[in-house]
Amino acid sequence: MDLIVAKFGGTSVGNGSRIKKAAQSVVNEFMKGNQIVAVVSAVNKTTDELIELSNDAIGAGLTDSQKAAIMAMGELTGARLFSAAIESLGVKSEVIDPYKDIWPIITDSNSLEAKIDFDATSKKSENIKNLINQGIIPVVCGFLGKGPVGEITTLGRGGSDISAFLMGHCLGADEIIIVTDVDGVMSTDPNKIEEAELLDEITVEELMDLATHGAQVLHPQALKYKDPLISAKIINFANGDLDTKGTKIIGPFEGDMLKSVSIYPNPISLIALVGERMLKKVGLLANLTGVLAENNINIFGISAGQNSMTAFLDKNDSIKAYHKLHQLVIEDDSLSSLSLGKDTAMITLVSPDIIDTPGIISGITEPLRKNNINIVEITSSQTAVVVFVDWKDGEKAYNLVKEVLK
């Protein structure tokens, strides 16, 4: 007997027939002997309509707490419809919403972008386990939380994904199934490239990067709660079958933390190429990377300026790269010279919270400044920050950056 958490997105419960179809898929798993929890979003476009309605009626006078309570009505209604549909098929079900004492997802008081109190949520989730063990299918409102004084909060748009993975983690589920309007994760947006292909599987880290860079597949914060022992997949509601293959989400792998700070064990060498006409030279970056690829030299980073381009390489490859790139400088009239810089240490901070944490860069750089550690280069994405410092300062900088995650 498996415990399954199935999340149904807004389009998968977009009308009465879809709700009935989704409820039937849940009942089918229950009849196989599995335990199942449904996490349900608002009916498609309901939340947008509620926001528009409240803006028209109240405008700027609407408080955040009022807005959260109004937005919650979509999930409150959707969960009730879903639970009633399950019971119409002959199986006991119970709606779980923030107005009930057994509600499990506890947050801070931020009405519209609430942060989850994981310890409190884990304890409250025992109530859901008790229902499951009684042969009842809980239908949990997605997207919602309960604040410190019992007020309704929301987890932000797309927060039902967070609800599903959080519930799966706290309940020790065997599988989390995200039911949406796509077959799974595609190689790219099929609306833009017809040849896009369905991926059989994708890692947590890859999916998080896709999500934080705009792919409308899964809320990136949800993956913080992906347990490596819990299977997870994304499937299309059109199949009406939770056994559908879809795209499997792999990991995070053992030792591969979603939040981590690491230092590369070897010195990193900087090779800088300069030239006044670099920006007007088409294909220059391709030429640089091509030369290094042909010689089996890995690149750890590239920085481009107005009249310069710097490649970051393992010191063991630097002399070979230096000579090969010198040949490129001689042959390309947009380049004038190159230099082999000093050894640096590369420190990488990875966290899904980077995109939602104002000031995280200053939180990294300020301790380094106070300790008189010069930053040679810093790069960032929505999930990682990479800092290069003088090699002699590497260990000290690494220990200071680690403090950022505490």
Side-chain angles (χ1 to χ4, degrees), residues 259-272:
K259 286 187 177 183
S260 65
V261 177
S262 60
I263 182 169
Y264 188 68
N266 299 333
I268 297 291
S269 294
L270 283 63
I271 299 180

Side-chain angles (χ1 to χ4, degrees), residues 214-274:
Q216 302 296 315
V217 179
L218 192 70
H219 195 300
Q221 293 296 317
L223 293 168
K224 292 194 298 184
Y225 302 104
K226 168 67 171 72
D227 189 304
L229 298 178
I230 299 176
S231 299
K233 65 180 179 181
I234 300 171
I235 65 171
N236 197 323
F237 74 89
N239 298 292
D241 185 357
L242 297 182
D243 273 344
T244 299
K245 185 179 178 182
T247 299
K248 189 174 182 181
I249 304 170
I250 306 298
F253 300 107
E254 185 177 353
D256 189 8
M257 301 297 291
L258 286 179
K259 286 187 177 183
S260 65
V261 177
S262 60
I263 182 169
Y264 188 68
N266 299 333
I268 297 291
S269 294
L270 283 63
I271 299 180
L273 293 83
V274 300

